[in-house]
Short mmCIF file of all heavy atoms in Angstrom, two decimals:
data_model
loop_
_atom_site.label_atom_id
_atom_site.label_comp_id
_atom_site.label_asym_id
_atom_site.label_seq_id
_atom_site.Cartn_x
_atom_site.Cartn_y
_atom_site.Cartn_z
N PHE A 268 80.37 105.37 106.91
CA PHE A 268 79.32 104.38 107.12
C PHE A 268 78.33 104.39 105.96
O PHE A 268 77.85 103.35 105.52
CB PHE A 268 78.57 104.68 108.42
CG PHE A 268 79.14 103.96 109.61
CD1 PHE A 268 79.65 104.68 110.67
CD2 PHE A 268 79.18 102.58 109.67
CE1 PHE A 268 80.18 104.03 111.79
CE2 PHE A 268 79.71 101.92 110.77
CZ PHE A 268 80.22 102.65 111.83
N SER A 269 78.00 105.58 105.49
CA SER A 269 76.95 105.71 104.48
C SER A 269 77.38 105.17 103.12
O SER A 269 76.68 104.36 102.52
CB SER A 269 76.54 107.18 104.35
OG SER A 269 75.62 107.35 103.30
N ASN A 270 78.55 105.63 102.62
CA ASN A 270 78.91 105.25 101.25
C ASN A 270 79.69 103.94 101.16
O ASN A 270 79.87 103.41 100.08
CB ASN A 270 79.68 106.38 100.56
CG ASN A 270 80.96 106.74 101.28
OD1 ASN A 270 81.80 105.90 101.57
ND2 ASN A 270 81.14 108.04 101.56
N GLU A 271 80.17 103.43 102.30
CA GLU A 271 80.87 102.14 102.37
C GLU A 271 82.14 102.09 101.53
O GLU A 271 82.63 101.01 101.21
CB GLU A 271 79.94 100.98 101.99
CG GLU A 271 78.77 100.81 102.95
CD GLU A 271 77.87 99.63 102.61
OE1 GLU A 271 78.26 98.83 101.74
OE2 GLU A 271 76.80 99.52 103.22
N SER A 272 82.67 103.25 101.12
CA SER A 272 83.94 103.26 100.38
C SER A 272 85.05 102.79 101.30
O SER A 272 85.31 103.39 102.33
CB SER A 272 84.24 104.68 99.89
OG SER A 272 83.31 105.10 98.93
N GLY A 273 85.69 101.71 100.92
CA GLY A 273 86.74 101.13 101.74
C GLY A 273 86.28 99.95 102.56
O GLY A 273 87.10 99.19 103.08
N LEU A 274 84.97 99.76 102.66
CA LEU A 274 84.44 98.65 103.44
C LEU A 274 84.65 97.32 102.72
O LEU A 274 84.83 96.28 103.35
CB LEU A 274 82.96 98.87 103.73
CG LEU A 274 82.30 97.96 104.75
CD1 LEU A 274 82.93 98.14 106.12
CD2 LEU A 274 80.79 98.26 104.84
N GLY A 275 84.60 97.33 101.39
CA GLY A 275 84.82 96.12 100.61
C GLY A 275 83.57 95.39 100.19
O GLY A 275 83.63 94.31 99.62
N SER A 276 82.41 95.98 100.46
CA SER A 276 81.15 95.32 100.13
C SER A 276 80.76 95.52 98.66
O SER A 276 80.45 94.54 97.96
CB SER A 276 80.03 95.84 101.04
OG SER A 276 80.00 97.26 101.03
N ALA A 277 80.78 96.74 98.18
CA ALA A 277 80.33 97.04 96.82
C ALA A 277 81.08 96.28 95.73
O ALA A 277 80.47 95.87 94.73
CB ALA A 277 80.39 98.55 96.57
N PRO A 278 82.40 96.08 95.84
CA PRO A 278 83.09 95.35 94.77
C PRO A 278 82.62 93.91 94.59
O PRO A 278 82.87 93.31 93.55
CB PRO A 278 84.57 95.41 95.18
CG PRO A 278 84.58 95.77 96.63
CD PRO A 278 83.36 96.61 96.82
N ILE A 279 81.94 93.36 95.58
CA ILE A 279 81.44 91.98 95.46
C ILE A 279 80.42 91.90 94.34
O ILE A 279 80.41 90.94 93.54
CB ILE A 279 80.84 91.51 96.79
CG1 ILE A 279 81.93 91.45 97.87
CG2 ILE A 279 80.18 90.14 96.64
CD1 ILE A 279 81.41 91.11 99.27
N VAL A 280 79.55 92.89 94.25
CA VAL A 280 78.56 92.89 93.16
C VAL A 280 79.13 93.52 91.90
O VAL A 280 78.72 93.18 90.79
CB VAL A 280 77.26 93.61 93.60
CG1 VAL A 280 77.46 95.10 93.75
CG2 VAL A 280 76.13 93.33 92.60
N ALA A 281 80.11 94.41 92.03
CA ALA A 281 80.74 95.01 90.85
C ALA A 281 81.38 93.94 89.98
O ALA A 281 81.44 94.05 88.75
CB ALA A 281 81.78 96.05 91.28
N ALA A 282 81.86 92.86 90.62
CA ALA A 282 82.51 91.77 89.89
C ALA A 282 81.57 91.05 88.93
O ALA A 282 82.01 90.40 87.98
CB ALA A 282 83.10 90.77 90.87
N ALA A 283 80.26 91.17 89.16
CA ALA A 283 79.28 90.49 88.31
C ALA A 283 78.88 91.31 87.10
O ALA A 283 78.11 90.85 86.26
CB ALA A 283 78.04 90.14 89.13
N ALA A 284 79.40 92.53 86.99
CA ALA A 284 78.96 93.44 85.93
C ALA A 284 79.48 93.04 84.55
O ALA A 284 80.58 92.51 84.41
CB ALA A 284 79.42 94.86 86.25
N GLN A 285 78.69 93.33 83.55
CA GLN A 285 79.08 93.12 82.16
C GLN A 285 79.89 94.33 81.71
O GLN A 285 79.35 95.41 81.48
CB GLN A 285 77.84 92.96 81.28
CG GLN A 285 77.00 91.74 81.62
CD GLN A 285 75.62 91.77 80.99
OE1 GLN A 285 75.19 92.79 80.47
NE2 GLN A 285 74.91 90.66 81.04
N THR A 286 81.19 94.15 81.60
CA THR A 286 82.07 95.28 81.26
C THR A 286 83.25 94.77 80.45
O THR A 286 83.72 93.65 80.66
CB THR A 286 82.55 95.99 82.53
OG1 THR A 286 83.31 97.14 82.18
CG2 THR A 286 83.39 95.07 83.41
N ARG A 287 83.73 95.60 79.53
CA ARG A 287 84.80 95.13 78.64
C ARG A 287 86.20 95.27 79.25
O ARG A 287 87.15 94.65 78.76
CB ARG A 287 84.72 95.86 77.30
CG ARG A 287 85.02 97.34 77.35
CD ARG A 287 84.74 98.00 76.01
NE ARG A 287 83.30 98.08 75.76
CZ ARG A 287 82.79 98.67 74.68
NH1 ARG A 287 83.57 99.20 73.77
NH2 ARG A 287 81.48 98.71 74.52
N ASN A 288 86.35 96.12 80.25
CA ASN A 288 87.64 96.21 80.94
C ASN A 288 87.43 96.71 82.36
O ASN A 288 86.38 97.27 82.68
CB ASN A 288 88.62 97.10 80.16
CG ASN A 288 88.16 98.54 80.06
OD1 ASN A 288 87.98 99.22 81.07
ND2 ASN A 288 87.96 99.02 78.83
N PRO A 289 88.40 96.51 83.25
CA PRO A 289 88.22 96.85 84.67
C PRO A 289 87.95 98.32 84.94
O PRO A 289 87.21 98.65 85.87
CB PRO A 289 89.55 96.42 85.30
CG PRO A 289 90.12 95.40 84.38
CD PRO A 289 89.70 95.83 83.01
N VAL A 290 88.53 99.21 84.15
CA VAL A 290 88.40 100.64 84.43
C VAL A 290 86.99 101.15 84.17
O VAL A 290 86.50 102.04 84.87
CB VAL A 290 89.44 101.44 83.62
CG1 VAL A 290 89.19 102.94 83.71
CG2 VAL A 290 90.84 101.12 84.15
N ARG A 291 86.32 100.60 83.18
CA ARG A 291 84.95 101.03 82.92
C ARG A 291 84.06 100.78 84.13
O ARG A 291 83.29 101.64 84.57
CB ARG A 291 84.39 100.30 81.68
CG ARG A 291 84.99 100.77 80.37
CD ARG A 291 84.49 99.92 79.21
NE ARG A 291 83.11 100.19 78.87
CZ ARG A 291 82.71 101.06 77.96
NH1 ARG A 291 83.61 101.80 77.31
NH2 ARG A 291 81.44 101.22 77.67
N GLN A 292 84.15 99.57 84.71
CA GLN A 292 83.34 99.28 85.89
C GLN A 292 83.84 100.04 87.10
O GLN A 292 83.06 100.41 87.98
CB GLN A 292 83.35 97.78 86.18
CG GLN A 292 82.51 97.37 87.38
CD GLN A 292 81.07 97.83 87.28
OE1 GLN A 292 80.49 97.85 86.18
NE2 GLN A 292 80.48 98.21 88.40
N ALA A 293 85.13 100.32 87.17
CA ALA A 293 85.68 101.11 88.27
C ALA A 293 85.04 102.50 88.29
O ALA A 293 84.67 103.01 89.35
CB ALA A 293 87.19 101.22 88.13
N LEU A 294 84.90 103.10 87.12
CA LEU A 294 84.28 104.42 87.02
C LEU A 294 82.81 104.35 87.43
O LEU A 294 82.31 105.22 88.16
CB LEU A 294 84.41 104.96 85.60
CG LEU A 294 85.81 105.41 85.16
CD1 LEU A 294 85.84 105.71 83.67
CD2 LEU A 294 86.24 106.65 85.95
N VAL A 295 82.11 103.32 86.96
CA VAL A 295 80.70 103.15 87.33
C VAL A 295 80.56 103.00 88.83
O VAL A 295 79.68 103.59 89.46
CB VAL A 295 80.09 101.94 86.59
CG1 VAL A 295 78.68 101.65 87.11
CG2 VAL A 295 80.04 102.20 85.09
N SER A 296 81.44 102.20 89.44
CA SER A 296 81.39 102.00 90.89
C SER A 296 81.60 103.31 91.64
O SER A 296 80.94 103.58 92.65
CB SER A 296 82.47 100.99 91.32
OG SER A 296 82.18 99.70 90.82
N SER A 297 82.51 104.15 91.15
CA SER A 297 82.78 105.42 91.82
C SER A 297 81.57 106.34 91.83
O SER A 297 81.40 107.16 92.73
CB SER A 297 83.97 106.13 91.17
OG SER A 297 83.64 106.64 89.89
N SER A 298 80.71 106.21 90.81
CA SER A 298 79.52 107.06 90.75
C SER A 298 78.54 106.72 91.88
O SER A 298 77.71 107.54 92.26
CB SER A 298 78.82 106.93 89.39
OG SER A 298 78.22 105.65 89.23
N GLY A 299 78.64 105.50 92.44
CA GLY A 299 77.79 105.13 93.56
C GLY A 299 78.03 106.01 94.78
O GLY A 299 77.09 106.45 95.44
N THR A 300 79.30 106.27 95.08
CA THR A 300 79.63 107.15 96.21
C THR A 300 79.18 108.57 95.92
O THR A 300 78.75 109.29 96.83
CB THR A 300 81.15 107.11 96.48
OG1 THR A 300 81.52 105.78 96.82
CG2 THR A 300 81.54 108.04 97.61
N PHE A 301 79.28 108.99 94.67
CA PHE A 301 78.81 110.33 94.29
C PHE A 301 77.34 110.50 94.62
O PHE A 301 76.93 111.46 95.27
CB PHE A 301 79.06 110.56 92.80
CG PHE A 301 78.45 111.83 92.27
CD1 PHE A 301 79.05 113.05 92.47
CD2 PHE A 301 77.24 111.78 91.56
CE1 PHE A 301 78.48 114.22 91.99
CE2 PHE A 301 76.67 112.94 91.07
CZ PHE A 301 77.28 114.16 91.29
N TRP A 302 76.51 109.55 94.18
CA TRP A 302 75.06 109.65 94.42
C TRP A 302 74.74 109.51 95.90
O TRP A 302 73.91 110.24 96.43
CB TRP A 302 74.32 108.58 93.62
CG TRP A 302 74.34 108.76 92.15
CD1 TRP A 302 74.86 107.89 91.22
CD2 TRP A 302 73.86 109.88 91.40
NE1 TRP A 302 74.73 108.39 89.96
CE2 TRP A 302 74.11 109.60 90.03
CE3 TRP A 302 73.25 111.07 91.74
CZ2 TRP A 302 73.77 110.50 89.01
CZ3 TRP A 302 72.90 111.97 90.73
CH2 TRP A 302 73.15 111.68 89.40
N ASP A 303 75.40 108.58 96.56
CA ASP A 303 75.08 108.29 97.96
C ASP A 303 75.42 109.44 98.90
O ASP A 303 74.58 109.86 99.71
CB ASP A 303 75.84 107.03 98.40
CG ASP A 303 75.61 106.69 99.86
OD1 ASP A 303 76.36 107.22 100.71
OD2 ASP A 303 74.69 105.93 100.17
N THR A 304 76.63 109.94 98.80
CA THR A 304 77.10 110.92 99.78
C THR A 304 77.14 112.34 99.25
O THR A 304 76.65 113.27 99.89
CB THR A 304 78.51 110.53 100.28
OG1 THR A 304 78.48 109.19 100.76
CG2 THR A 304 78.95 111.45 101.42
N VAL A 305 77.74 112.51 98.06
CA VAL A 305 77.89 113.85 97.52
C VAL A 305 76.54 114.48 97.21
O VAL A 305 76.36 115.70 97.33
CB VAL A 305 78.78 113.82 96.25
CG1 VAL A 305 78.93 115.22 95.65
CG2 VAL A 305 80.16 113.26 96.58
N VAL A 306 75.55 113.65 96.85
CA VAL A 306 74.22 114.19 96.53
C VAL A 306 73.23 113.98 97.68
O VAL A 306 72.76 114.94 98.29
CB VAL A 306 73.66 113.55 95.23
CG1 VAL A 306 72.23 114.03 94.97
CG2 VAL A 306 74.55 113.89 94.05
N ILE A 307 72.92 112.72 98.01
CA ILE A 307 71.82 112.44 98.94
C ILE A 307 72.16 112.87 100.38
O ILE A 307 71.36 113.52 101.04
CB ILE A 307 71.43 110.95 98.88
CG1 ILE A 307 70.84 110.63 97.51
CG2 ILE A 307 70.42 110.61 99.98
CD1 ILE A 307 70.42 109.20 97.30
N CYS A 308 73.34 112.51 100.87
CA CYS A 308 73.71 112.92 102.23
C CYS A 308 73.81 114.44 102.35
O CYS A 308 73.42 115.01 103.36
CB CYS A 308 75.03 112.27 102.65
SG CYS A 308 74.88 110.53 103.10
N ALA A 309 74.34 115.08 101.31
CA ALA A 309 74.46 116.54 101.34
C ALA A 309 73.08 117.20 101.38
O ALA A 309 72.87 118.17 102.12
CB ALA A 309 75.25 117.02 100.13
N LEU A 310 72.16 116.67 100.59
CA LEU A 310 70.80 117.22 100.59
C LEU A 310 70.14 117.03 101.95
O LEU A 310 69.49 117.95 102.47
CB LEU A 310 69.95 116.54 99.51
CG LEU A 310 70.12 117.06 98.08
CD1 LEU A 310 69.35 116.18 97.10
CD2 LEU A 310 69.66 118.51 97.97
N THR A 311 70.29 115.84 102.53
CA THR A 311 69.72 115.60 103.86
C THR A 311 70.29 116.57 104.88
O THR A 311 69.56 117.16 105.68
CB THR A 311 70.01 114.15 104.32
OG1 THR A 311 69.46 113.23 103.37
CG2 THR A 311 69.40 113.88 105.68
N GLY A 312 71.60 116.76 104.86
CA GLY A 312 72.24 117.67 105.79
C GLY A 312 71.74 119.09 105.63
O GLY A 312 71.48 119.79 106.63
N LEU A 313 71.57 119.53 104.40
CA LEU A 313 71.09 120.89 104.15
C LEU A 313 69.65 121.06 104.61
O LEU A 313 69.28 122.10 105.17
CB LEU A 313 71.22 121.20 102.65
CG LEU A 313 71.21 122.68 102.24
CD1 LEU A 313 72.26 123.46 103.01
CD2 LEU A 313 71.42 122.80 100.73
N VAL A 314 68.83 120.02 104.40
CA VAL A 314 67.44 120.07 104.85
C VAL A 314 67.39 120.17 106.38
O VAL A 314 66.66 121.00 106.93
CB VAL A 314 66.67 118.80 104.38
CG1 VAL A 314 65.36 118.64 105.15
CG2 VAL A 314 66.38 118.89 102.89
N VAL A 315 68.17 119.35 107.06
CA VAL A 315 68.14 119.34 108.52
C VAL A 315 68.65 120.66 109.10
O VAL A 315 68.02 121.26 109.98
CB VAL A 315 68.97 118.16 109.08
CG1 VAL A 315 69.10 118.25 110.59
CG2 VAL A 315 68.31 116.83 108.70
N VAL A 316 69.78 121.15 108.60
CA VAL A 316 70.35 122.39 109.14
C VAL A 316 69.47 123.59 108.84
O VAL A 316 69.26 124.45 109.71
CB VAL A 316 71.78 122.61 108.60
CG1 VAL A 316 72.34 123.96 109.08
CG2 VAL A 316 72.70 121.49 109.04
#
Side-chain angles (χ1 to χ4, degrees):
F268 268 118
S269 175
N270 60 53
E271 296 182 10
S272 294
L274 191 63
S276 51
I279 296 174
V280 70
Q285 297 166 348
T286 185
R287 67 187 72 177
N288 64 61
V290 170
R291 288 174 72 93
Q292 181 55 36
L294 288 171
V295 172
S296 293
S297 71
S298 70
T300 299
F301 171 79
W302 292 120
D303 177 272
T304 306
V305 179
V306 176
I307 294 179
C308 284
L310 279 173
T311 301
L313 200 53
V314 165
V315 172
V316 175

